[in-house]
Amino acid sequence: MVKQYDAIIIGSGQGGTPLSIRLAKAGYKTALVEKKWVGGTCINNGCIPSKTIIAGARTEQRIAEASRSEMYTTDNYDIIFEKVIERKNAVVERFRKGSERSVNETEGLDLIYGEATFTQEKEIEVYTNTGENLQLTAPLIFINTGARPAIPDIKGIEDIPYLTSTEIMELDKLPEHLLILGAGYISLELGQAFRRMGSRVTIVEAEDNILAKEDTDVQEEMAEILEKESITILTNTEVEELSLSSKNEIVAHIVKNETKALITASHILIATGRKPNTDNIKLSGVAIDEDGYVKVNDRLETNVEGTYAIGDVKGGMAFTHVAYNDYRIIYSNLVEKKERSTANRLIPYCMFTDPELGRVGMTEAEA
């Protein structure tokens, strides 16, 4: 039996959750389908947990700086990594429960935990976490399924215990030597944090510079800042193969300037990009690009009337405030009847290294 709704939102990220609440309060009978946890990437394995860990590492750095000053006595201190993770877990749980409570307290809004797939253009099947199969339909459907880490095609990668940005924040022991593949925002934030907490850190990047989307002077300045903290950065370096040593250590077979070498590490973080969660929802008639991102116009409409995409799944800048602004655009157009679009949207952002890197608008190269 198919259950009828006015609106169905697939994914409870930072765009989908507030949209579901506002639509329900506006009189739309709404279903919010979530595979695992309310809050999406930001709350559960992105912004909130990573910045909480970074805050702990920054505190450690400030104590270290104080210990080198004659004004303070800070001998015999050490960071307790397990406590950093415990605090991170507590902060995430508080945010997650707060979001879930807001959804559950909204009249006219059904929160359904399960995995959704399209069966028709305006109909989905949800295999719930309790083992039920539900059929839902609505004239309005919003795809908010986000993205996940992309795993590069490197020989041997499936034979090693690699980490992504999700698993690294669940470790119960500080890595002795953390090898990071990729030199984007996630890599540099977490690389600096783990170095400050005591890990040896090596960053390997295939391109000529770190932070490929930034201008050269910014790239060089950030590299200098990180190298002063004893982080090793290898650019223009390819990883040909990954393997395990007889001591169960991770071995990266690299090539830099046609010279081959080996890097041995206790842990490896794969941070070479992300891919959209569209391959597992069986999109029906909705157009995607060559990378799997849902195609939308500047009103966030797909090629299927009444079907929209918001947040990371549609491509572009993958930031929380972008997803939240997507929700505001859709709500304004659908409910308030105010014309809003993504055209000429100016997006500020920040990378939470120390010091932070903030930017808005085009780079000099783009200009």
Side-chain angles (χ1 to χ4, degrees):
M1 186 174 182
V2 180
K3 189 170 183 179
Q4 179 74 47
Y5 286 92
D6 298 319
I8 297 171
I9 299 169
I10 308 172
S12 66
Q14 295 302 292
T17 300
L19 179 61
S20 70
I21 293 171
R22 290 292 301 279
L23 287 177
K25 289 182 176 180
Y28 291 72
K29 185 181 179 183
T30 305
L32 177 61
V33 182
E34 171 51 48
K35 184 177 180 180
K36 193 172 185 180
W37 291 315
V38 172
T41 298
C42 177
I43 286 178
N44 296 292
N45 43 48
C47 317
I48 300 302
S50 66
K51 275 51 177 183
T52 305
I53 290 174
I54 289 167
R58 183 173 293 187
T59 299
E60 195 281 340
Q61 178 73 4
R62 297 298 180 262
I63 296 172
E65 291 170 351
S67 70
R68 294 190 291 268
S69 170
E70 296 179 356
M71 297 184 291
Y72 304 96
T73 301
T74 56
D75 296 333
N76 302 319
Y77 77 92
D78 197 9
I79 192 166
I80 304 173
F81 181 70
E82 294 81 358
K83 294 296 182 181
V84 173
I85 300 302
E86 282 181 19
R87 178 173 179 268
K88 181 269 298 180
N89 290 339
V91 171
V92 168
E93 185 72 9
R94 187 167 70 248
F95 273 79
R96 183 189 298 156
K97 285 184 175 179
S99 293
E100 186 179 50
R101 184 169 57 251
S102 297
V103 171
N104 285 328
E105 290 176 352
T106 302
E107 291 186 15
L109 175 56
D110 292 341
L111 174 59
I112 303 169
Y113 281 106
E115 191 161 0
T117 55
F118 279 86
T119 55
Q120 298 180 38
E121 283 190 354
K122 293 302 178 65
E123 188 174 304
I124 66 169
E125 180 180 55
V126 181
Y127 183 71
T128 72
N129 294 355
T130 57
E132 295 179 272
N133 271 329
L134 304 179
Q135 307 294 322
L136 313 179
T137 185
L140 295 173
I141 293 184
F142 304 90
I143 303 167
N144 184 222
T145 49
R148 65 185 187 273
I151 307 304
D153 185 18
I154 299 174
K155 183 180 179 181
I157 194 168
E158 297 301 332
D159 299 323
I160 64 166
Y162 64 80
L163 305 168
T164 69
S165 56
T166 299
E167 291 88 13
I168 195 170
M169 290 185 282
E170 302 300 329
L171 292 175
D172 56 10
K173 183 180 179 182
L174 187 70
E176 180 182 338
H177 180 193
L178 177 62
L179 173 62
I180 303 177
L181 302 192
Y185 308 118
I186 293 172
S187 306
L188 302 194
E189 285 183 352
L190 293 178
Q192 185 184 51
F194 275 85
R195 178 69 192 104
R196 288 179 167 189
M197 289 187 288
S199 298
R200 179 184 166 201
V201 174
T202 301
I203 297 174
V204 173
E205 170 57 53
E207 300 295 330
D208 293 336
N209 293 294
I210 64 173
L211 298 174
K213 296 180 181 179
E214 304 296 338
D215 281 312
T216 302
D217 56 345
V218 174
Q219 295 169 339
E220 293 174 350
E221 185 67 23
M222 283 306 309
E224 183 178 346
I225 288 169
L226 296 172
E227 286 170 343
K228 283 181 178 178
E229 294 194 28
S230 300
I231 294 174
T232 300
I233 299 175
L234 302 175
T235 55
N236 195 27
T237 302
E238 294 282 350
V239 178
E240 288 191 325
E241 184 179 352
L242 293 166
S243 60
L244 285 176
S245 71
S246 58
K247 297 181 180 179
N248 219 34
E249 295 174 310
I250 294 167
V251 180
H253 304 248
I254 66 169
V255 180
K256 181 177 175 64
N257 298 328
E258 299 183 355
T259 301
K260 296 189 176 185
L262 299 178
I263 300 175
T264 302
S266 61
H267 296 74
I268 184 168
L269 169 63
I270 307 298
T272 52
R274 294 175 70 80
K275 61 185 295 185
N277 291 322
T278 52
D279 51 351
N280 53 358
I281 60 173
K282 300 179 182 177
L283 289 170
S284 181
V286 175
I288 58 176
D289 67 16
E290 60 184 7
D291 296 316
Y293 290 98
V294 177
K295 291 183 177 181
V296 295
N297 61 18
D298 59 13
R299 290 168 58 90
L300 304 172
E301 299 165 324
T302 70
N303 60 302
V304 176
E305 185 179 357
T307 300
Y308 300 76
I310 58 178
D312 298 354
V313 75
K314 71 182 193 313
M317 289 188 166
F319 297 120
T320 294
H321 50 289
V322 173
Y324 188 81
N325 189 247
D326 288 349
Y327 130 68
R328 295 174 66 188
I329 289 171
I330 287 176
Y331 187 80
S332 291
N333 291 333
L334 281 179
V335 181
E336 298 176 330
K337 307 302 180 184
K338 298 177 181 178
E339 288 295 321
R340 294 186 64 175
S341 75
T342 61
N344 302 316
R345 184 164 61 175
L346 201 59
I347 301 172
Y349 66 86
C350 180
M351 177 178 70
F352 284 84
T353 47
D354 184 15
E356 296 90 344
L357 167 64
R359 181 160 71 78
V360 62
M362 293 185 290
T363 62
E364 288 183 14
E366 288 169 339

